[in-house]
Amino acid sequence: MSLITDSDISNVEKKYSLFFDEGSKEFIKCNINKDIKACPGAGKTTSLVAKLDILTSKMPFVDKSGILVLTHTNIAIEEIKRKLGCNSGKLLGYPNHVGTFQSFVNKYLAIPFYVKCFEKKPIAIDSVIFEKKLTEFMKRSFEGKFLLQRCEENLMSIENFINSLEVNGKKIELNINGRKKTIVNNSSSFYPRLVSYIEDDIIFKIWENGYLKFSHCYDFAEEYLQSYPDIVNIISARFKYIFIDETQDTDERQFKLLDTLFGNSDSIVQKIGDNDQSIFNFESKEIETWDIGDDYIKINNTKRLSQKICKVASDFSVTNYILESESQIDIHPIIIVFEDDRINEVLPVFAEKIKLYNLDLIDNSFFKAIGGIGQRKIKHTIPSYIDYHRKESLEEVDENNLKDKFLKSNCELTPYFINNIYWEIILQYLDILNVRNKVDKYTKNSLSNYLKINQKKLLDQLKLNSIYMIDSIFSASDPFLYLEKSIIDLADFMEFSYDCSTLKSIIFNYKVVNPKKNSDKVTINIDGSDIDIHISTIHKSKGETHTATLVMETYNRAYDFNQLLPLLKGKKLKKFSAKKKLLYVGMTRPTHLLCLALHKSFLKSSGNRVTLNESDFEQMRLNGFEVIVLD
């Protein structure tokens, strides 16, 4: 028998001025273990909040138990609190827990076991702080410094590097997925000291000092349940209802913990989500971790999307789900097709369409441009579209001195950031001298592959020069020398001339961009009206609702929409489920206008250029898109 009645639902509808469809009502009344599939914009958070509101009004329960609500981000938790408003106080108090998976694991499992092990609480649970403390510890000894240097050469995180080291009799090897590489052999005078250092368990020492990574908490949690199995009964008795929000983003380790804690209990576990929106899975984005039950509840109708957006977005569903809507919005989704030299016009066209449909006049309107890859790379990412429109965010430091260029840029000078610039300058030099990979410009990947096949020692030297250049930024050395040496070595091998003045000119004109500065919004003026367009990755926009959304095609092994071109024509495509899910999430954000940015022409492989034609565009139009070609 359900604890929640139709009368309860009617009352909460009046309280929040809502109307729930049959799927939402079925979920709210459900009082057994159940999976709930909710499509984008179906109002699942609103339904969950309504259910929580009713349940807390009936507390305390007879057995004095509470409610556990778990999700994956603090943003989702804040959304639940915001929607509950002044009624959130009771839910947030004892015996309930509303928080992320991480906060639950930390509070009830990891920290209690840490206290049992070390007789104190951890100082900090933070992956960045842990890495910093580990680095500081290792820098205190010769052995640690040696390992840090080898770690940088292999471009690995420090902990992964340490955990991949194996002492095999006469040598220490790095084992990466079964591929072994010798780090040092026993002919080295310090070999015995290094073996002792590795076997002394460096990671444990940092734990002992009070610092943990987020992932370590799962190690402690699993060990706690294994060592003290009665904890399972205590926790399952504490929580009568367990709600898992965004279940599709739960990984196997988290599912295993849930099953251990509540699988054999009387607790009611309800999992809410949508496998089509699983874009945060950890080990393999192509594999679903949530095996949704056959007898699940469906919350079918989207309250967000128009029917025209539903139609084209449904083609990207990996579960073949057909989105449905009763919205009266009648704006065709738009594909903006561009050549590389017209990429700066994509955002203005998006803004023009916003203005054309008077979307800027809607109360609380919100416009956003999103894409798969946010970091600046050789091929197209989000900055490729927006840099032209936010020139004020460029750090224009007129310096010939490369070190000053970095130090005066106000950027966070991480090794990753500096390494990217090192390669960008090398590639710019090759481009200026018209040094080509057959017919196309060299990219970092194509240059690395070429050298790996033809001159592996040179590739290793270039990587080493990058590490030296990174170190030189913060020392007395001159980073220019290492960059210059790399280009001279390349010139000798690839048979082009080195010119110092050309390199200095590139450095002088190079704009060091601070990726954190003013990157969240651009403003486009259309007919005297400023249209503010917010910018983020698709991942960061998940769960959001926009008035209009532009999904910018970015490059991740291939150009997004071009790789899924049949879907834009209304055809089927079985492959690339990870990319389909990512774009599905992006395409299901807007209430009114959906725009997609699509490359017209690109190099698929060496010498093989793909160019879309009028036949492609006509098939897209027949599938429900308006197509704008920027010629």
Side-chain angles (χ1 to χ4, degrees):
M1 178 181 174
S2 178
L3 188 67
I4 297 175
T5 65
D6 288 330
S7 177
D8 291 324
I9 294 176
S10 179
N11 289 336
V12 83
E13 284 180 322
K14 292 175 185 175
K15 180 178 179 179
Y16 291 108
S17 300
L18 297 169
F19 176 77
F20 293 110
D21 59 26
E22 290 307 310
S24 298
K25 289 179 181 179
E26 185 182 359
F27 160 53
I28 294 170
K29 290 171 65 176
C30 182
N31 203 47
I32 58 173
N33 292 339
K34 186 68 72 171
D35 291 339
I36 298 94
K37 176 178 171 59
C39 71
K44 68 174 179 60
T45 303
T46 302
S47 300
L48 175 59
V49 165
K51 183 163 189 168
L52 294 172
D53 187 275
I54 296 168
L55 287 174
T56 51
S57 71
K58 297 178 182 293
M59 295 181 76
F61 302 136
V62 174
D63 57 4
K64 308 299 181 185
S65 61
I67 299 168
L68 173 62
V69 181
L70 297 177
T71 188
H72 294 278
T73 65
N74 288 315
I75 293 174
I77 295 300
E78 291 305 315
E79 178 70 2
I80 291 171
K81 292 177 183 178
R82 184 186 67 79
K83 289 195 173 186
L84 276 170
C86 59
N87 300 304
S88 65
K90 194 170 183 179
L91 179 65
L92 300 177
Y94 182 87
N96 307 316
H97 179 90
V98 180
T100 61
F101 260 96
Q102 189 72 52
S103 70
F104 172 74
V105 169
N106 293 356
K107 180 176 180 178
Y108 294 96
L109 301 169
I111 293 175
F113 188 58
Y114 183 95
V115 171
K116 283 185 177 291
C117 293
F118 300 105
E119 298 183 343
K120 63 178 182 180
K121 287 187 176 181
I123 296 171
I125 298 173
D126 186 289
S127 299
V128 174
I129 293 174
F130 176 87
E131 288 278 330
K132 181 181 177 183
K133 295 297 179 182
L134 179 58
T135 303
E136 290 173 354
F137 177 83
M138 293 177 70
K139 283 183 176 179
R140 294 174 196 162
S141 66
F142 168 80
E143 294 82 7
K145 289 178 182 177
F146 176 84
L147 291 176
L148 283 173
Q149 185 178 359
R150 294 295 177 269
C151 176
E152 288 179 357
E153 290 172 5
N154 287 278
L155 301 177
M156 296 175 68
S157 74
I158 302 170
E159 186 181 10
N160 285 344
F161 177 80
I162 291 169
N163 289 336
S164 299
L165 292 175
E166 295 179 353
V167 179
N168 295 323
K170 296 182 179 181
K171 55 188 174 181
I172 297 171
E173 295 179 312
L174 181 66
N175 187 343
I176 305 175
N177 299 323
R179 297 178 63 185
K180 296 187 178 182
K181 176 181 179 181
T182 299
I183 299 299
V184 66
N185 57 45
N186 64 355
S187 63
S188 298
S189 58
F190 59 88
Y191 178 79
R193 289 160 51 196
L194 197 58
V195 170
S196 176
Y197 186 85
I198 293 169
E199 292 179 343
D200 204 22
D201 200 340
I202 310 162
I203 305 301
F204 183 84
K205 289 184 182 297
I206 309 303
W207 287 353
E208 197 173 33
N209 290 340
Y211 301 96
L212 301 173
K213 284 174 69 172
F214 298 121
S215 59
H216 295 153
C217 292
Y218 287 89
D219 299 328
F220 276 80
E222 289 162 2
E223 187 65 30
Y224 190 33
L225 294 175
Q226 220 169 26
S227 303
Y228 301 93
D230 288 345
I231 295 299
V232 170
N233 298 327
I234 295 170
I235 293 177
S236 61
R238 163 78 179 268
F239 299 110
K240 173 71 173 176
Y241 292 93
I242 296 92
F243 299 103
I244 316 300
D245 192 21
E246 303 289 359
T247 306
Q248 74 277 355
D249 293 325
T250 306
D251 68 15
E252 290 181 7
R253 206 172 189 187
Q254 292 166 334
F255 274 125
K256 186 177 178 181
L257 270 179
L258 287 172
D259 189 58
T260 301
L261 291 171
F262 305 111
N264 297 313
S265 73
D266 293 329
S267 302
I268 296 169
V269 180
Q270 297 186 348
K271 303 175 187 136
I272 312 136
D274 177 10
N275 273 332
D276 277 320
Q277 299 185 71
S278 174
I279 61 173
F280 288 111
N281 273 333
F282 303 85
E283 296 300 324
S284 174
K285 294 180 181 178
E286 298 291 343
I287 298 172
E288 309 297 349
T289 57
W290 182 26
D291 185 13
I292 191 168
D294 294 331
D295 185 26
Y296 61 89
I297 294 173
K298 297 179 184 177
I299 305 181
N300 283 326
N301 288 347
T302 175
K303 286 88 175 171
R304 176 190 299 153
L305 311 175
S306 69
Q307 187 56 42
K308 282 183 165 59
I309 295 175
C310 283
K311 180 185 181 302
V312 297
S314 294
D315 292 328
F316 286 73
S317 167
V318 298
T319 65
N320 298 316
Y321 187 81
I322 304 300
L323 292 163
E324 296 177 1
S325 171
E326 296 178 1
S327 167
Q328 299 303 305
I329 303 300
D330 192 33
I331 301 174
H332 283 283
I334 298 170
I335 295 177
I336 304 169
V337 184
F338 65 95
E339 293 282 15
D340 285 350
D341 61 352
R342 306 290 292 274
I343 194 169
N344 295 335
E345 299 176 37
V346 172
L347 279 170
V349 170
F350 177 51
E352 287 170 4
K353 290 299 180 180
I354 289 170
K355 187 66 179 172
L356 175 67
Y357 293 112
N358 296 318
L359 303 184
D360 57 320
L361 303 181
I362 297 173
D363 289 342
N364 302 314
S365 58
F366 185 79
F367 314 119
K368 198 160 192 180
I370 57 180
I373 306 295
Q375 292 180 327
R376 183 172 280 96
K377 295 188 177 181
I378 297 298
K379 295 200 176 181
H380 293 84
T381 61
I382 292 173
S384 307
Y385 294 83
I386 67 174
D387 278 350
Y388 177 83
H389 302 286
R390 57 179 187 87
K391 291 180 180 178
E392 71 280 0
S393 72
L394 297 176
E395 300 289 348
E396 297 191 24
V397 183
D398 292 336
E399 291 286 346
N400 282 318
N401 186 293
L402 185 58
K403 181 181 289 190
D404 288 345
K405 196 88 168 178
F406 280 113
L407 296 179
K408 292 181 181 180
S409 69
N410 295 320
C411 295
E412 184 181 357
L413 301 178
T414 63
Y416 179 85
F417 179 75
I418 297 169
N419 180 62
N420 277 346
I421 291 177
Y422 165 83
W423 286 102
E424 282 181 12
I425 292 174
I426 289 174
L427 294 170
Q428 279 192 31
Y429 189 95
L430 296 180
D431 184 34
I432 287 173
L433 267 67
N434 203 33
V435 179
R436 291 286 187 263
N437 177 23
K438 294 186 178 177
V439 298
D440 199 34
K441 297 178 184 179
Y442 272 106
T443 66
K444 182 183 175 183
N445 284 339
S446 63
L447 180 60
S448 296
N449 289 335
Y450 171 76
L451 294 176
K452 190 181 293 183
I453 294 168
N454 297 287
Q455 183 54 279
K456 179 67 165 54
K457 286 184 179 179
L458 176 55
L459 177 60
D460 292 340
Q461 185 60 51
L462 294 185
K463 290 179 178 179
L464 193 59
N465 288 345
S466 173
I467 293 169
Y468 290 149
M469 189 179 103
I470 291 166
D471 290 340
S472 70
I473 300 295
F474 310 102
S475 68
S477 303
D478 184 356
F480 178 84
L481 298 177
Y482 300 109
L483 187 58
E484 182 179 49
K485 183 180 187 310
S486 295
I487 293 177
I488 289 172
D489 290 346
L490 277 171
D492 289 343
F493 176 68
M494 300 176 77
E495 298 181 347
F496 62 84
S497 60
Y498 168 68
D499 178 55
C500 184
S501 62
T502 300
L503 178 57
K504 286 185 176 180
S505 174
I506 291 171
I507 290 170
F508 182 82
N509 292 305
Y510 188 87
K511 293 178 175 61
V512 180
V513 178
N514 187 342
K516 293 185 177 180
K517 185 178 178 183
N518 296 335
S519 60
D520 61 342
K521 187 175 74 172
V522 297
T523 300
I524 308 290
N525 187 277
I526 303 295
D527 298 332
S529 298
D530 283 343
I531 308 295
D532 290 335
I533 302 171
H534 296 260
I535 310 293
S536 85
T537 62
I538 294 173
H539 287 84
K540 288 183 179 178
S541 70
K542 188 166 182 283
E544 294 179 349
T545 296
H546 313 153
T547 311
T549 305
L550 167 67
V551 185
M552 300 173 284
E553 182 173 51
T554 59
Y555 187 92
N556 183 12
R557 299 183 181 178
Y559 284 108
D560 300 331
F561 287 115
N562 272 285
Q563 191 174 43
L564 306 180
L565 196 62
L567 302 181
L568 297 178
K569 302 174 182 179
K571 299 176 182 178
K572 299 294 183 184
L573 184 66
K574 292 183 178 180
K575 300 184 292 182
F576 312 120
S577 63
K579 193 162 282 189
K580 283 197 280 187
K581 287 185 286 186
L582 184 68
L583 296 176
Y584 180 85
V585 168
M587 293 170 70
T588 53
R589 298 307 96 203
T591 55
H592 290 65
L593 173 64
L594 170 66
C595 290
L596 312 178
L598 175 69
H599 283 77
K600 181 178 182 180
S601 175
F602 62 95
L603 200 71
K604 189 173 184 179
S605 59
S606 183
N608 180 18
R609 180 164 290 278
V610 175
T611 302
L612 303 182
N613 55 41
E614 186 57 37
S615 173
D616 296 309
F617 305 146
E618 185 58 30
Q619 291 178 69
M620 295 172 195
R621 293 186 185 102
L622 291 173
N623 193 40
F625 287 104
E626 176 187 344
V627 179
I628 299 173
V629 182
L630 302 179
D631 289 326

